[in-house]
Amino acid sequence: MDKNTLIGFLLIGVVLFAFSWLNQPTPEQVEAQRRYQDSIAQIEHARQLDQSRNDKLPLATAADSLPGESDSARIQRIRSEYDVFADAVIGEEQFTTLENDKVEIRFTNKGGRVYSARLKDYKTHDSLPLILFEGDEALLDFTLVTATNRVVNTAGMYFQAIPGNDPNTLTMRLSAGDGRHLDFTYTLSKDDYMVKMDIKGTGLNGVLSPSTNALDINWEQKIRQQEKGRKFEDQYAAIYYKFVADDVEYLSETKNDSKQLSNRLKWIAYKDKFFSTVLISEDGFEATNLASNLIPEGKFIKECKTTTSVPFDLRGEKTTSLRYFFGPNKYNLLAAYDNDVPSADKLELERLVPLGASVFRWINQYFILPLFNFFGNFIGSYGLIIFLLTLLVKIILFPLTYKSYMSSAKMRVLRPQVEEINAKFPGQDKALERQKATMELYSRAGASPMSGCLPMLLQMPILIAMYMFFPSSIELRHESFLWAKDLSTYDAVISWTTNIPLITPYFGNHISLFCLLMTITNIIYTKFNMDQTNTGQQQMPGMKAMMYMMPLMFLVFFNQNASGLSYYYFISTLITIVQTLIFRYTINEDKLLAKLEANKKKPAKKSGFMKRLEDAQRAQQEQLKKQQKGKK
C-alpha cells in the first residue's frame, strides 16, 4: 500500500467519522424515537387485548395450531411472534400457594401472577370462603418489547416456579434463553395481608428494546359481591388512588367512570365495601388510565381496569418493587402501615375507610373510633357497645340538649301572651306589627327562638358522622344482636320476592325491624316535640305534614342500610324522648314564667343583632305603608 492510498483511506475515515458525528441524533430525537416505538408497542398490545377479548380466548393463543397448520409451521410462527420468549409460550399451567394465618395466595405459572386471594378470617354473607378474586376474574399483565420490536405479554407465557429459601417466598422466572430471564419474586409477610413483589431482569440488555426504561401494566379485576344487600355494597365499591406525596381520590361509586392521570400515583386500590385489593409502587405509577364499570346483576358488582407503567432497569442493577395488599378495610390495620414512616412516604391506606370528609372524618377519627375500640376491648356484644356509645354521646351533648329544651320551655310559657298579640294584630296586613310585637316580647323576657336552634345545629355533625361510621365499620360485620344477625346490613323480619315498581328499587323487598322502630320513635318524638314547642305563632301551611313526612322518608332511606345505624338512631331518639319527659316534669314552668316576667321589669339591653333586626322590620313596615297608600 503506497503513501497516497494510505492518505486516501485516512481521509475517507475522517469524513465518515465527521459525518456520523454531525448527523448523530440529539437527545430529543432519541426520546421522540423511543416514544414512537412505545406507541407502536402499546397499539400492538391493545390490538392483542381486543382480539383476545373478542374471541373469548386467553391472551396468548400462539401455542394452539391454526386450522391446517403443521407443527413445524406452528413452531416457526411462534418463534417469529415471540422471538427469544418463544419457548415460554408452550407449557402447562401449575399452581403454587403461599399462606399465613391471614391469607392464602395462589400463584399460577401462566403469567407468573396471583391467581386467587382468600382471606382466612372472613366469610361471605352466606358463610362461604371469602375469596377476593380467582382465575380469570383478575389479570396482571406486563408488556415487553423485544430488541426486534416484537410485542409480547407476560399473561400468555409460562414462568418457572422457583421456591425460595423462605417458605413464604416464591420466584416466578420467565426465561429468554442462554441464562437470560425476568424474575417476579413474591414474599408474603408473617401474619400480614401484604405481599411484596420484586421485578428484576438478568441479561435482558440486548433482549428487550434498548429504549426500555419502564414496564407497561394492564391490571384488571372484577369485584365480587360479598355482602347481603347489593345496593349499599355497590355504593361503597370504587377505584381509589393516591398521588405521590399528595391526596387520596376515587372514581364515582354510582356510575361508570374513567380518568387519565399524568401525575405519579403511589397506589391504586380496587375497593369493596369492607375489603380491598391494593397495588402499591415504591417508585410510583406513571401515565395512568383508570376505568370503573358497573355490573348490574350477577356475582360481580364492578369491573375495574388500570393501564399504567412502572420504572424498570434494563441492566438489572435495580429492582422494581411493588406491593400487593389483600385485606379488610379496617382503620387501625391500615393506619398501622404508616407507623414510623416519614410523612412524605405515608401510604394513608386508612383513607379507604369512608369516614366522611372534613369535620365529620375528624369526629370519627379522633372521637368515635377510639371510644368504639375502647369498649370493644372489654365487651363482646357490639349491640351493647353501640348502646353505651350512644349513651355516652348523649351525656356529652346533655348541656346542649338542656339548653335547647329550656329555650322551648320559655317560648311555651310565653305562648298565652303571643296569642294575645296575634289577636291584637290579626290578618296578613298586620303581619309586621305582629312580628315586631312578638320579638319585643321575647327580647324583654329574655327568650330567643334562635337559642333553641343553635344547640340542635351543633349536634348535627355528630349525627352525620355516625351516619358515615356505622355502615363502613367492618367491626359490625356478621355481629349479631337480638334478632339482627348482621349489624352491618339490614335486619329483615318480613321479606317478599315480587318485584314491585317504585318500591323494590328504593325500599327493597323486605322490612327492617330496627328501621321500623326508628321510624316509629321519630314519629312519636315529632308529635311530642311539636306539642312542646308550639309557641302560638302562625306556621307555614303544610309545615306540620312535612314534619311527619320526614320520619317516613327515613324509613325508605334506611330500610336497606346497616341495622347498626338504625339501631343507633332508634336508641338515640328514645333517649331524647326520655330526657324531654324528665325535663318536662322536673322544671317548674310557673317559676320559669315568673323569672321571665321579672326580666321584663329590668332595663332593656338590646344586642346589636336585635337592634339591626328591629331597624330592618321598621324600614320594611314603612315601605309597606307607602305601598298601601299608593294603591289607595
Side-chain angles (χ1 to χ4, degrees):
M1 182 180 295
D2 58 14
K3 180 179 179 181
N4 292 332
T5 303
L6 182 60
I7 293 173
F9 277 118
L10 289 175
L11 290 175
I12 291 172
V14 170
V15 171
L16 291 175
F17 174 78
F19 180 81
S20 300
W21 185 79
L22 291 174
N23 289 276
Q24 66 179 348
T26 64
E28 291 78 10
Q29 291 173 327
V30 172
E31 178 64 19
Q33 180 65 19
R34 185 190 70 79
R35 290 197 299 268
Y36 174 73
Q37 296 294 344
D38 290 347
S39 299
I40 294 176
Q42 291 176 0
I43 293 172
E44 179 65 18
H45 180 212
R47 184 191 66 78
Q48 291 182 5
L49 284 176
D50 291 339
Q51 182 179 358
S52 66
R53 292 193 186 99
N54 293 335
D55 296 340
K56 296 184 179 180
L57 294 172
L59 184 62
T61 57
D64 299 330
S65 297
L66 300 177
E69 186 180 37
S70 65
D71 290 342
S72 59
R74 178 174 67 92
I75 293 174
Q76 183 177 359
R77 175 175 57 82
I78 291 174
R79 294 200 176 280
S80 174
E81 292 181 4
Y82 284 84
D83 202 6
V84 294
F85 295 105
D87 291 339
V89 174
I90 303 174
E92 181 179 350
E93 188 170 20
Q94 298 175 345
F95 301 97
T96 308
T97 301
L98 298 182
E99 61 181 316
N100 57 24
D101 293 338
K102 304 290 185 183
V103 294
E104 178 188 79
I105 311 296
R106 292 184 70 199
F107 297 87
T108 173
N109 66 327
K110 188 174 183 180
R113 63 180 180 87
V114 177
Y115 181 83
S116 68
R118 178 175 72 89
L119 306 186
K120 293 184 175 182
D121 293 337
Y122 298 92
K123 300 287 185 181
T124 63
H125 69 92
D126 46 2
S127 301
L128 296 176
L130 198 147
I131 298 173
L132 296 180
F133 59 86
E134 186 174 32
D136 58 2
E137 298 170 12
L139 171 72
L140 184 67
D141 180 25
F142 293 85
T143 300
L144 307 176
V145 181
T146 69
T148 57
N149 283 335
R150 299 295 184 186
V151 179
V152 297
N153 302 99
T154 60
M157 295 186 286
Y158 292 91
F159 288 59
Q160 178 187 2
I162 304 174
N165 297 327
D166 187 334
N168 278 345
T169 299
L170 170 68
T171 297
M172 288 290 184
R173 175 165 295 175
L174 177 63
S175 175
D178 299 328
R180 302 168 297 184
H181 51 79
L182 177 67
D183 286 347
F184 295 166
T185 301
Y186 299 94
T187 303
L188 175 62
S189 303
K190 183 179 180 181
D191 296 331
D192 197 2
Y193 296 96
M194 196 75 77
V195 179
K196 187 177 181 183
M197 179 183 183
D198 291 330
I199 304 174
K200 188 174 182 180
T202 300
L204 297 182
N205 198 355
V207 173
L208 299 182
S209 171
S211 62
T212 300
N213 58 12
L215 293 178
D216 292 333
I217 300 176
N218 177 46
W219 180 34
E220 302 179 8
Q221 182 182 326
K222 293 179 180 178
I223 297 180
R224 290 188 174 194
Q225 180 184 350
Q226 309 283 7
E227 315 302 324
K228 183 177 75 172
R230 183 186 184 95
K231 177 181 177 180
F232 276 90
E233 183 178 7
D234 188 60
Q235 290 182 3
Y236 282 90
I239 297 180
Y240 278 58
Y241 53 93
K242 182 187 185 304
F243 293 101
V244 173
D246 208 338
D247 232 345
V248 175
E249 297 183 10
Y250 55 91
L251 299 188
S252 173
E253 299 129 324
T254 57
K255 63 180 181 180
N256 296 341
D257 195 8
S258 62
K259 274 190 179 180
Q260 295 183 352
L261 305 170
S262 57
N263 294 342
R264 285 195 306 147
L265 302 181
K266 184 65 178 178
W267 53 256
I268 304 164
Y270 295 165
K271 174 191 171 297
D272 195 1
K273 184 176 182 180
F274 292 124
F275 306 96
S276 292
T277 301
V278 187
L279 189 60
I280 307 166
S281 173
E282 298 300 324
D283 298 317
F285 299 105
E286 298 182 355
T288 304
N289 293 332
L290 304 172
S292 173
N293 296 311
L294 301 175
I295 301 177
E297 56 186 17
K299 63 184 291 189
F300 305 105
I301 57 177
K302 273 192 176 68
E303 183 178 19
C304 302
K305 298 180 181 180
T306 298
T307 57
T308 185
S309 63
V310 289
F312 178 71
D313 182 13
L314 185 60
R315 295 172 297 179
E317 297 175 357
K318 184 180 178 182
T319 300
T320 299
S321 294
L322 302 176
R323 278 187 287 170
Y324 257 129
F325 173 82
F326 307 104
N329 301 329
K330 198 170 185 178
Y331 185 90
N332 290 341
L333 168 71
L334 298 174
Y337 287 109
D338 286 336
N339 291 344
D340 302 322
V341 175
S343 58
D345 298 328
K346 289 185 181 297
L347 295 175
E348 297 184 77
L349 289 175
E350 69 275 9
R351 303 288 295 187
L352 291 172
V353 183
L355 297 178
S358 61
V359 66
F360 309 119
R361 187 174 187 86
W362 183 88
I363 292 172
N364 280 323
Q365 187 174 348
Y366 298 107
F367 176 61
I368 303 300
L369 262 173
L371 284 176
F372 199 73
N373 293 329
F374 173 77
F375 288 133
N377 293 331
F378 306 100
I379 302 172
S381 171
Y382 277 90
L384 183 56
I385 290 174
I386 293 174
F387 174 79
L388 293 177
L389 182 63
T390 310
L391 188 61
L392 183 58
V393 169
K394 282 296 182 180
I395 292 173
I396 294 173
L397 295 176
F398 178 81
L400 296 177
T401 306
Y402 180 77
K403 186 174 182 180
S404 178
Y405 180 84
M406 288 300 297
S407 175
S408 300
K410 290 178 182 180
M411 306 289 284
R412 187 169 56 254
V413 297
L414 292 173
R415 176 180 174 181
Q417 300 179 44
V418 173
E419 290 177 344
E420 291 178 4
I421 294 174
N422 292 340
K424 184 179 179 181
F425 301 101
Q428 187 63 32
D429 56 335
K430 295 186 178 181
L432 292 177
E433 292 93 331
R434 184 167 61 246
Q435 183 180 13
K436 179 182 178 182
T438 303
M439 294 303 296
E440 287 180 352
L441 170 64
Y442 289 154
S443 178
R444 287 186 292 108
S448 173
M450 294 299 297
S451 62
C453 298
L454 185 59
M456 295 300 296
L457 290 175
L458 293 177
Q459 297 181 51
M460 289 302 296
I462 295 181
L463 296 177
I464 297 175
M466 290 295 194
Y467 178 82
M468 303 299 299
F469 173 75
F470 283 109
S472 61
S473 176
I474 193 173
E475 288 82 2
L476 298 181
R477 189 175 185 271
H478 294 182
E479 292 291 338
S480 62
F481 180 67
L482 298 178
W483 58 82
K485 296 180 180 180
D486 186 350
L487 289 172
S488 70
T489 186
Y490 56 83
D491 54 318
V493 291
I494 299 176
S495 301
W496 59 90
T497 57
T498 305
N499 184 35
I500 304 176
L502 299 179
I503 293 180
T504 299
Y506 302 101
F507 186 77
N509 282 349
H510 63 272
I511 296 177
S512 301
L513 185 51
F514 271 130
C515 182
L516 185 61
L517 292 174
M518 178 196 71
T519 303
I520 293 172
T521 53
N522 269 285
I523 291 175
I524 294 173
Y525 177 70
T526 300
K527 174 69 169 62
F528 188 75
N529 192 49
M530 289 176 65
D531 293 340
Q532 293 294 310
T533 57
N534 188 352
T535 62
Q537 298 187 65
Q538 295 181 0
Q539 294 183 347
M540 292 177 58
M543 179 60 70
K544 187 175 182 179
M546 186 179 296
M547 295 297 292
Y548 283 112
M549 282 295 296
M550 290 300 294
L552 297 177
M553 292 173 64
F554 287 153
L555 177 63
V556 176
F557 295 153
F558 285 77
N559 190 57
Q560 299 185 70
N561 213 324
S563 57
L565 177 64
S566 299
Y567 169 59
Y568 165 77
Y569 283 138
F570 164 61
I571 294 297
S572 178
T573 307
L574 202 59
I575 294 175
T576 301
I577 293 174
V578 172
Q579 283 180 331
T580 305
L581 288 173
I582 293 174
F583 293 152
R584 182 72 177 86
Y585 291 104
T586 56
I587 296 176
N588 191 323
E589 294 189 355
D590 292 334
K591 291 183 178 180
L592 180 60
L593 179 59
K595 183 179 178 180
L596 296 180
E597 292 296 335
N599 290 339
K600 293 181 183 180
K601 300 176 182 179
K602 297 178 182 179
K605 294 182 179 179
K606 295 181 181 180
S607 64
F609 173 77
M610 290 299 298
K611 187 176 185 305
R612 288 193 296 270
L613 183 61
E614 289 181 0
D615 291 342
Q617 290 176 340
R618 191 178 298 110
Q620 189 177 7
Q621 187 176 6
E622 293 295 331
Q623 184 67 24
L624 184 60
K625 288 180 179 179
K626 291 181 180 179
Q627 292 177 357
Q628 291 174 348
K629 289 181 179 179
K631 291 180 180 179
K632 291 180 180 179

